Amino acid sequence: MYNLHTHSLLSDGSLLCSELAVRYLAAGYKVIAITDHVDYSNIDLVIPAILKFTHNWPKDSQIQVLPGVELTHLPLGQFASMVKYCRKKGIKIIVGHGETTAEPVFQGTNRAALEADIDILAHPGHISDDDVKLAKSRGIFLEITSRHGHDATNSLVVKKALKFGAKLILSHDSHEPEDIITPAQLKRVGLKAGLTAAQVATIDKDIAKFLKKF
Ligand SMILES: [Zn+2]
Ligand SMILES: [Zn+2]
């Protein structure tokens, strides 16, 4: 009952952070991360806004909201310094916008993101064996997504992650209200990508363990 990849109107999503949280709560979630797209043009606008929002979100709310970012379309050499900057500012969940087949992305983005201290490599497209092994050794989650277009390589990512023992995460990458599916629907995305129900349960356990530190 988590989704650690969402967008608000702080980047290209359509919802205010509060409405995003309320809609996820209504859909049955306990934890979300707001991970708006950032590069050097907007990082100092987005990070303070997300942190102000999450710091003021009630601690006793039934849904926990974690501050995050998605490092998107960065020139490869910027990943390491951007990640360091985000951590220093207090960002908890760092998503790397991987080499999806649905958009042009710099070749080598998967590798550059995995070599930085990110938490999740989103929609990694036709990820190489070496990059899957790197994700495993660094404990970085590879994303299986419900997002149309980015989901084209879900089965390949599942197959390689299982082969090399890398950790997976299921996420929405939501931008609009209709992208917010229920936990049961999200589970079906995993099953459709080739996971068994037991493997989905293992993913949930891994994420629960990861989230304990927040
Ligand atoms: Zn993305
Ligand atoms: Zn995204």
Side-chain angles (χ1 to χ4, degrees):
M1 289 181 293
Y2 63 87
N3 177 34
L4 304 184
H5 187 173
T6 75
H7 298 279
S8 76
L9 49 68
L10 290 171
S11 62
D12 61 350
S14 67
L15 298 174
L16 199 61
C17 293
S18 303
E19 184 171 355
L20 195 65
V22 170
R23 282 183 179 267
Y24 269 100
L25 175 61
Y29 289 83
K30 298 267 186 251
V31 188
I32 60 166
I34 300 177
T35 55
D36 276 300
H37 299 287
V38 291
D39 65 8
Y40 272 110
S41 69
N42 69 342
I43 191 153
D44 287 325
L45 301 171
V46 169
I47 288 185
I50 289 182
L51 288 174
K52 189 162 189 178
F53 177 78
T54 54
H55 285 159
N56 284 286
W57 189 250
K59 299 283 171 275
D60 59 352
S61 172
Q62 289 164 287
I63 185 161
Q64 184 184 10
V65 185
L66 298 170
V69 292
E70 180 174 10
L71 303 177
T72 306
H73 293 291
L74 298 187
L76 306 187
Q78 292 182 0
F79 271 95
S81 55
M82 279 289 248
V83 165
K84 243 184 235 159
Y85 188 73
C86 293
R87 294 279 181 220
K88 199 176 88 193
K89 291 284 175 184
I91 290 296
K92 306 285 189 214
I93 306 292
I94 301 184
V95 177
H97 180 90
E99 292 179 54
T100 173
T101 54
E103 286 167 19
V105 180
F106 285 123
Q107 208 182 346
T109 292
N110 285 346
R111 173 53 61 109
L114 289 167
E115 283 176 343
D117 177 29
I118 63 167
D119 300 297
I120 300 166
L121 182 62
H123 44 70
H126 294 114
I127 187 168
S128 70
D129 292 359
D130 284 345
D131 285 350
V132 176
K133 289 180 202 164
L134 183 60
K136 178 195 158 58
S137 71
R138 298 185 61 96
I140 294 167
F141 294 99
L142 298 177
E143 182 191 65
I144 303 304
T145 180
S146 61
R147 188 149 180 83
H148 181 66
H150 293 337
D151 65 358
T153 51
N154 276 352
S155 304
L156 176 125
V157 176
V158 163
K159 215 182 274 171
K160 289 198 177 197
L162 293 176
K163 182 172 173 191
F164 297 110
K167 288 190 291 184
L168 290 167
I169 185 167
L170 301 172
S171 50
H172 297 208
D173 198 354
S174 63
H175 290 70
E176 311 292 333
E178 53 272 24
D179 299 335
I180 301 173
I181 57 178
T182 64
Q185 287 170 312
L186 186 58
K187 182 180 168 182
R188 281 201 287 279
V189 171
L191 298 176
K192 201 179 144 202
L195 291 164
T196 64
Q199 286 162 340
V200 173
T202 302
I203 292 174
D204 288 346
K205 230 181 265 169
D206 286 344
I207 304 296
K209 202 166 133 197
F210 169 71
L211 289 173
K212 262 199 193 126
K213 62 180 175 185
F214 303 119

